[in-house]
């Protein structure tokens, strides 16, 4: 259940008290982390005192997915601004500055502006979303995110009729991001994009936490996109700008290798990456002898999202 808040009524009066109190704790915790510069280090997350009791579930599932062990998810990260390997990116991401985080929202909207994350969160009801996450590299995991539907934020800024796509831009901090400093590989900052109906889909969320704690820096703190039916690179970390635009934005990976990484990048076992098959995946945390999992079309979310692509040739629009 998504509980909407109206501007003129205090959220505490119309929101389930459990939800409201959890949200206040999360905002407080995010701010405490931001003000004192305390992030969750890859190894010390278990000792972090910030934890929340059960949040209401937003993903509509009956809880059948078993989350991947948190330590694996926190130490096996892709964060190319910091490093091209998983361990270094988790370590170096601790240098990211997340204090006084703002999100600029503009383009085809009635209410453009620069919003403090804190103010955005005051408008939202945080819930837990346990999603499968499939990387284009051929591995997968299950992550319990804490966040809210992107659609709630977009509705708040009131899209205009020209808003056909959404462009997301990640933070630019070359002083702490070695690959940005050296202009290595991608065009920086990291850019991603969605079609407007994909962005408004209830499964598409902005996450501020995972495993009941604030988002570790290496996993996209303080705010990242999560689109569970698309390859992981679409789920851009450290978002600072959201623009509603008329044309499909040029995304970082499309620009880098357009024949390998399409704009849609829906998980699809029938469309191979030019250099490897996408028909199966290695599940993080599974034993050495565990067989690979068969990859599902739309990462198993077909029932909810297949209609978005009804008349499209998915081989062409990969
Ligand atoms: N966002 C930014 N800003 N920079 C990145 O390098 N990597 C992407 C995506 N979002 C990336 C990013 C890729 S390739 C993947 S697979 C996922 O983040 C990985 O998310 P995780 O590290 O939390 O598992």
């Amino acid at each position: 259940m998504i509980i909407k808040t109206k501007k003129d009524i205090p959220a505490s009066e119309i929101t389930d008290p459990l939800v409201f109190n959890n949200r206040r704790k999360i905002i407080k915790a995010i701010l405490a982390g931001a003000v004192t510069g305390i992030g969750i280090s890859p190894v010390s997350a278990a000792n972090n005192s910030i934890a929340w009791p059960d949040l209401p579930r937003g993903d509509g599932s009956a809880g059948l997915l078993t989350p991947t062990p948190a330590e694996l998810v926190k130490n096996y990260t892709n964060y190319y601004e910091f490093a091209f390997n998983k361990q270094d990116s988790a370590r170096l991401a601790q240098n990211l500055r997340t204090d006084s985080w703002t999100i600029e929202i503009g383009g085809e909207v009635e209410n453009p502006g620069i919003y403090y994350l804190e103010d955005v969160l005051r408008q939202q009801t945080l819930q837990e979303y346990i999603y499968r996450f499939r990387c284009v590299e051929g591995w997968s995991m299950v992550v319990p995110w804490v966040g809210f539907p992107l659609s709630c934020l977009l509705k708040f800024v009131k899209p205009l009729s020209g808003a056909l796509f959404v462009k997301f831009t990640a933070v630019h901090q070359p002083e702490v991001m070695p690959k940005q400093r050296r202009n290595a590989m991608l065009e920086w900052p990291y850019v991603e994009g969605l079609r407007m109906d994909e962005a408004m889909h209830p499964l598409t969320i902005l996450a501020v936490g995972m495993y009941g704690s604030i988002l570790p820096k290496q996993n996209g703190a303080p705010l990242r996109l999560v689109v569970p039916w698309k390859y992981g690179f679409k789920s851009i970390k450290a978002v600072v700008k959201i623009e509603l635009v008329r044309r499909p934005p040029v995304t970082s990976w499309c620009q880098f290798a357009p024949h390998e990484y399409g704009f849609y990048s829906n998980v699809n076992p029938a469309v191979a990456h030019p250099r490897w098959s996408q028909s199966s995946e290695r599940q993080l945390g599974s034993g050495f002898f565990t067989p690979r999992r068969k990859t599902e079309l739309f990462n198993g979310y077909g029932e909810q999202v297949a209609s978005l692509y009804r008349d499209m040739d998915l081989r062409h629009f990969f």
Side-chain angles (χ1 to χ4, degrees):
M1 180 178 59
I2 295 166
I3 302 158
K4 296 206 178 74
T5 57
K6 290 212 180 90
K7 260 200 213 157
D8 49 344
I9 305 174
S12 56
E13 283 176 21
I14 55 173
T15 309
D16 178 321
L18 172 70
V19 176
F20 184 75
N21 289 333
N22 281 336
R23 189 179 55 192
R24 276 184 33 192
K25 279 190 214 162
I26 289 178
I27 291 173
K28 236 171 113 184
I30 287 171
L31 294 179
V35 170
T36 59
I38 302 165
I40 300 178
S41 87
V43 285
S44 67
N47 302 326
N48 197 296
S49 57
I50 302 161
W52 297 283
D54 292 342
L55 281 173
R57 294 286 294 282
D59 52 30
S61 76
L64 299 175
L65 295 171
T66 306
T68 304
E71 285 310 305
L72 278 178
V73 178
K74 290 171 187 167
N75 288 296
Y76 194 81
T77 57
N78 278 341
Y79 211 154
Y80 291 95
E81 286 92 331
F82 290 100
F84 298 153
N85 76 70
K86 303 200 167 21
Q87 288 71 27
D88 286 347
S89 65
R91 182 175 55 82
L92 291 171
Q94 305 316 310
N95 297 328
L96 182 76
R97 292 191 319 272
T98 56
D99 48 300
S100 307
W101 198 267
T102 56
I103 306 135
E104 185 180 343
I105 309 183
E108 303 282 332
V109 294
E110 230 177 277
N111 296 328
I114 298 178
Y115 299 89
Y116 277 105
L117 176 59
E118 177 195 346
D119 294 333
V120 168
L121 292 182
R122 284 210 179 92
Q123 297 283 331
Q124 305 302 330
T125 298
L126 294 178
Q127 301 191 59
E128 181 164 74
Y129 298 79
I130 304 183
Y131 283 158
R132 276 186 290 275
F133 188 100
R134 167 67 154 80
C135 178
V136 74
E137 295 165 351
W139 51 267
S140 67
M141 56 193 184
V142 173
V143 184
W145 304 103
V146 175
F148 58 92
L150 171 64
S151 64
C152 293
L153 178 58
L154 297 184
K155 281 180 201 156
F156 175 72
V157 294
K158 300 207 171 122
L160 298 169
S161 60
L164 303 180
F165 293 88
V166 186
K167 175 180 175 185
F168 303 87
T169 306
V171 74
H172 187 65
Q173 282 185 15
E175 52 302 350
V176 296
M177 294 175 151
K179 303 302 179 191
Q180 282 190 344
R181 210 160 47 236
R182 284 174 216 134
N183 277 330
M185 200 159 111
L186 299 178
E187 292 259 329
W188 305 109
Y190 195 103
V191 167
E192 257 310 330
L194 295 174
R195 216 171 55 189
M196 192 63 184
D197 56 349
E198 298 175 323
M200 296 301 283
H201 194 281
L203 291 183
T204 304
I205 60 162
L206 286 170
V208 292
M210 62 183 212
Y211 295 91
S213 293
I214 56 170
L215 212 48
K217 290 186 175 180
Q218 67 272 28
N219 293 104
L223 183 76
R224 81 176 290 174
L225 181 71
V226 180
V227 194
W229 71 94
K230 292 178 179 281
Y231 290 119
F233 66 85
K234 297 292 290 182
S235 294
I236 180 173
K237 301 176 177 182
V239 175
V240 291
K241 201 189 220 183
I242 300 176
E243 293 161 275
L244 282 75
V245 292
R246 288 175 183 268
R247 302 188 58 78
V250 178
T251 64
S252 295
W253 287 103
C254 279
Q255 191 175 41
F256 176 69
H259 54 294
E260 298 194 359
Y261 307 104
F263 176 79
Y264 285 95
S265 285
N266 293 318
V267 174
N268 190 341
V271 177
H273 184 279
R275 288 181 281 134
W276 60 85
S277 160
Q278 293 291 20
S279 64
S280 69
E281 64 209 44
R282 177 174 64 85
Q283 298 170 82
L284 279 196
S286 63
F288 188 70
F289 296 107
T290 309
R292 290 170 69 89
R293 177 180 189 271
K294 277 199 168 153
T295 292
E296 292 177 76
L297 179 59
F298 302 119
N299 207 18
Y301 297 99
E303 209 175 296
Q304 294 97 315
V305 303
S307 61
L308 298 177
Y309 311 102
R310 196 177 292 122
D311 299 320
M312 289 172 64
D313 174 356
L314 296 179
R315 286 184 181 278
H316 182 68
F317 295 103
F318 64 93

